[in-house]
């Protein structure tokens, strides 16, 4: 049995199993977790994304400001993933 991979969740500041999180990049989400590069992880709960955007957890992870249109597109992608 292989060990489970755990990821640090941005807005809850806890670790979660990699199967239960989405990876966010500066302008898009990776639902399969296969894209390379720096990303922030959020849980698969709709409130999780809202909290991460509200408390600017994603912006802190990337150390940049995220425009409103990118936030809107992230919310739309998250809704489609359900």
């Amino acid at each position: 049995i292989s060990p489970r991979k755990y990821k640090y969740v941005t807005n809850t500041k806890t670790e979660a199993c990699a199967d239960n999180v989405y990876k966010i990049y500066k302008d898009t989400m990776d639902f399969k977790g296969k894209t390379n590069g720096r990303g922030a992880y959020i849980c698969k709960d709709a409130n999780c994304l809202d909290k991460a955007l509200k408390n600017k957890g994603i912006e802190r992870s990337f150390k940049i400001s995220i425009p409103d249109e990118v936030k809107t597109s992230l919310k739309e992608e998250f809704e489609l993933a359900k």
Side-chain angles (χ1 to χ4, degrees), residues 1-52:
I1 299 175
S2 63
R4 298 197 79 152
K5 293 182 180 180
Y6 287 88
K7 303 294 182 182
Y8 179 78
V9 180
T10 300
N11 62 324
T12 60
K13 298 180 181 171
T14 60
E15 288 187 343
C17 180
D19 299 337
N20 297 327
V21 295
Y22 291 135
K23 190 171 185 179
I24 297 179
Y25 292 92
K26 293 179 184 176
D27 58 351
T28 187
M29 293 180 81
D30 176 23
F31 299 108
K32 296 182 180 181
K34 301 293 183 188
T35 307
N36 293 329
R38 183 180 172 99
Y41 294 94
I42 61 164
C43 54
K44 293 184 177 182
D45 181 20
N47 295 330
C48 213
L49 178 62
D50 291 335
K51 287 180 185 177

